[in-house]
Amino acid sequence: MRKTCVNIGKEIRDELLSQGRSVTWLSQQLGCNRTNIYNIFMRDSIGTDLLMKICVALNKDFFALYTRQFMANKGED
């Protein structure tokens, strides 16, 4: 089984910054404290429920990153 190359924490952080939104804003959207957001940025993986909440908050389909990686890996078979 191939490991995905998606660094989801970095992708979330980059999207948040590109939208000009703050860590405080995202923490309010998710109902958690800012420390939790910084911890998310450090993650290589994330649960689907939390990722869905982040997708909704940032209006971005982060699941598509995994789909692209899956398709790239599938092509290597």
Side-chain angles (χ1 to χ4, degrees):
M1 179 181 203
R2 292 182 183 91
K3 184 176 187 234
T4 65
C5 295
V6 175
N7 183 330
I8 194 62
K10 179 185 179 312
E11 295 289 342
I12 293 166
R13 182 186 68 231
D14 291 351
E15 182 63 26
L16 184 69
L17 293 174
S18 76
Q19 290 187 18
R21 303 207 184 260
S22 69
V23 169
T24 301
W25 177 86
L26 186 56
S27 69
Q28 290 170 345
Q29 298 301 304
L30 300 180
C32 64
N33 63 45
R34 289 178 27 226
T35 303
N36 290 352
I37 302 302
Y38 289 112
N39 288 337
I40 289 169
F41 293 162
M42 302 302 292
R43 294 182 187 180
D44 291 332
S45 63
I46 191 168
T48 55
D49 288 342
L50 178 55
L51 186 57
M52 180 58 93
K53 290 176 185 176
I54 294 169
C55 289
V56 170
L58 293 174
N59 193 33
K60 167 124 178 141
D61 180 6
F62 290 101
F63 290 98
L65 299 170
Y66 291 102
T67 300
R68 283 194 293 272
Q69 187 63 47
F70 170 74
M71 296 306 286
N73 287 343
K74 187 176 176 184
E76 293 176 5
D77 290 340

